[in-house]
Amino acid sequence: MKRVLPILIAIVIAITATLGWRFYAYATNTESPYDEVGIELNSRAPRPLNDWACGRLKANFPNAVPPYGCNRDDGTVGWR
């Protein structure tokens, strides 16, 4: 068990770092707000992180239709 625990911890850290980097890269991109992996990560992120990412995307793509997770809470089309 002592050998397995450090490996499991390393795997969890690697997965967390990879997903965190992918989320950050999506939120700060300037190519397209419609990256499927980024949309999924953003829609599942906690509300403060989601709001931050949506704000960054809105600043980069103000005239684009917002991706899933950045729509208004009332169900209408538009940025939050």
Side-chain angles (χ1 to χ4, degrees), residues 8 10 13 19 22 29 31 33 36 41 44 49 64 69-70 76 80:
L8 289 176
I13 290 172
L19 292 176
R22 188 66 186 92
N29 79 64
E31 293 180 15
E36 292 176 11
L41 289 172
R44 294 176 184 264
L49 286 176
C70 293
T76 60
R80 256 193 273 141

Side-chain angles (χ1 to χ4, degrees), residues 9-71:
I9 291 173
I11 290 171
V12 169
I13 290 172
I15 290 172
T16 302
T18 301
L19 292 176
W21 171 251
R22 188 66 186 92
F23 174 77
Y24 180 79
Y26 169 70
T28 59
N29 79 64
T30 57
E31 293 180 15
S32 172
Y34 307 116
D35 175 64
E36 292 176 11
V37 175
I39 289 172
E40 191 64 31
L41 289 172
N42 188 36
S43 67
R44 294 176 184 264
R47 186 63 183 239
L49 286 176
N50 179 273
D51 289 343
W52 173 80
C54 290
R56 296 292 303 251
L57 290 169
K58 183 179 179 181
N60 288 334
F61 307 101
N63 298 323
V65 175
Y68 177 72
C70 293
N71 292 334

